[in-house]
Amino acid sequence: MSTITREQQRLAEAENRTKHWKRWGPYLAERSWGTVREDYSPDGAAWEFFPHDHARSRVYRWTEDGLLGICDNHQYLCFSLALWNGKDAILKERLFGLTGPQGNHGEDVKEVYYYLDATPTNSYLKGLYKYPQAAFPYDQLVAENGRRNRFDPEYELEDTGVFNDNRYFDVFAEYAKNDVDDILIRVSIVNRGPGSAKCALLPTLWFRNTWSWCPTSKLPNLCASSNAIRAEHPSLGIFDLTLEGAPALLFTENETNTERLYGWRGNNIFYKDAFHEYVIAGNAAAVNPPKRAPKPARSINSS
């Protein structure tokens, strides 16, 4: 006598549309900068129009990216991780790689990460990202791969020596669904190096910017609610991100930092890269003090 597993039951419910088990899943790309869908250049040069250096400060229109993240199937509400080892010049929020022209074999992601487990309905997901404890060698990767020709091997992150003596963090992200919209998130960081090291963890929740191109649309909203962040979206509904302990909550708006990129200030007070400014530059004025934003919010839990 065959026994139907719980995952088979979830699959049947999803197929019959009685429960939307696939609403949340790993639909959030790790890298969307430089993609054709975000290219508005006059010459079709997507890599130059939206480079990696712009990603932390510039709003996407059609997509979003994040590290070991999830989102709903319309990508309205997104969740992912941001990290800082105390050495990097920028927060680690997305995968870094070489553009098509930079790589001696073309486009190539220069990171170490693994998808460890997943079920068909995304009822359980587990991924691993290996984060160096030394400063991430962005410039070294670009320069050395640029020096090589197409007959040479690629210069990988491991070749830089940044993982020597196991001086890195294993960052595990796990997602387990108790119900369609009830998801437990567990993030574990393990120091694999021989000595003590610090890693700041920023669980990040935000809305994809769908309002800048439709000014009459009703804005989504994020606000602090006890030890949770409440997310309200006109079509997706209301969700709470409940946080263990009492981490500091930071809020900003998912809007392009026109001052940094283009040298002019628009109507926005708080920008997408506010958490980079707050954590790395120590600029407390970059975040929204009332802990409320009509667009994205993020929380910090340093460990």
Side-chain angles (χ1 to χ4, degrees):
M1 181 177 179
S2 62
T3 302
I4 297 177
T5 66
R6 185 67 187 91
E7 180 64 11
Q8 288 173 320
Q9 182 180 341
R10 283 188 286 263
L11 283 168
E13 290 171 342
E15 180 69 22
N16 296 329
R17 299 185 179 227
T18 57
K19 298 193 77 171
H20 197 352
W21 284 107
K22 296 183 181 180
R23 172 181 288 130
W24 301 94
Y27 314 131
L28 185 69
E30 284 98 348
R31 183 196 67 75
S32 283
W33 53 274
T35 55
V36 174
R37 71 172 68 183
E38 298 294 339
D39 176 31
Y40 308 105
S41 66
D43 55 359
W47 291 117
E48 286 72 22
F49 182 75
F50 204 143
H52 176 264
D53 184 57
H54 283 202
R56 70 180 182 274
S57 304
R58 184 167 156 187
V59 166
Y60 297 99
R61 179 175 184 181
W62 300 108
T63 184
E64 287 288 343
D65 58 19
L67 196 62
L68 298 178
I70 62 170
C71 65
D72 66 277
N73 59 324
H74 295 288
Q75 203 176 84
Y76 291 139
L77 183 60
C78 308
F79 174 88
S80 73
L81 308 181
L83 306 164
W84 190 49
N85 58 14
K87 308 287 180 58
D88 284 345
I90 61 175
L91 291 179
K92 175 58 68 174
E93 300 177 281
R94 57 189 54 81
L95 295 185
F96 172 73
L98 302 178
T99 68
Q102 287 175 337
N104 62 321
H105 294 165
E107 176 187 355
D108 188 21
V109 172
K110 298 298 183 184
E111 301 272 13
V112 179
Y113 62 105
Y114 303 91
Y115 305 119
L116 299 178
D117 205 352
T119 59
T121 62
N122 308 312
S123 59
Y124 179 75
L125 302 166
K126 185 176 183 179
L128 166 64
Y129 175 73
K130 291 184 178 288
Y131 185 39
Q133 294 175 3
F136 196 92
Y138 293 105
D139 293 339
Q140 185 179 351
L141 288 165
V142 173
E144 179 58 26
N145 279 284
R147 187 187 65 80
R148 301 186 179 196
N149 61 43
R150 64 189 180 92
F151 300 105
D152 294 326
E154 296 171 1
Y155 187 65
E156 304 293 358
L157 181 59
E158 298 93 319
D159 299 327
T160 68
V162 76
F163 291 127
N164 287 356
D165 301 320
N166 292 330
R167 296 182 186 276
Y168 63 88
F169 299 102
D170 272 340
V171 182
F172 296 92
E174 295 176 86
Y175 301 89
K177 295 180 182 179
N178 181 53
D179 207 336
V180 173
D181 295 320
D182 184 9
I183 306 172
L184 174 67
I185 303 171
R186 179 167 62 186
V187 181
S188 307
I189 301 179
V190 182
N191 178 6
R192 300 300 187 190
S196 62
K198 293 184 178 181
C199 181
L201 167 65
L202 293 81
T204 306
L205 186 71
W206 76 100
F207 286 112
R208 178 166 59 92
N209 188 324
T210 57
W211 51 86
S212 292
W213 294 270
C214 187
T216 59
S217 64
K218 186 177 180 181
L219 292 176
N221 179 65
L222 290 173
C223 64
S225 175
S226 185
N227 67 327
I229 297 174
R230 171 151 293 187
E232 302 177 356
H233 190 273
S235 62
L236 190 62
I238 299 175
F239 299 89
D240 288 327
L241 175 63
T242 303
L243 306 167
E244 187 176 40
L249 301 182
L250 300 180
F251 288 77
T252 189
E253 298 185 358
N254 191 10
E255 296 287 356
T256 296
N257 188 339
T258 53
E259 292 183 83
R260 174 180 179 261
L261 298 181
Y262 311 119
W264 59 273
R265 186 177 186 90
N267 297 324
N268 300 306
I269 301 175
F270 305 105
Y271 297 125
K272 175 182 176 180
D273 55 11
F275 310 117
H276 165 88
E277 287 293 317
Y278 182 91
V279 175
I280 296 179
N283 181 10
V287 298
N288 192 353
K291 295 186 178 181
R292 186 177 183 87
K295 295 131 191 184
R298 306 187 183 189
S299 62
I300 294 178
N301 184 1
S302 299
S303 58

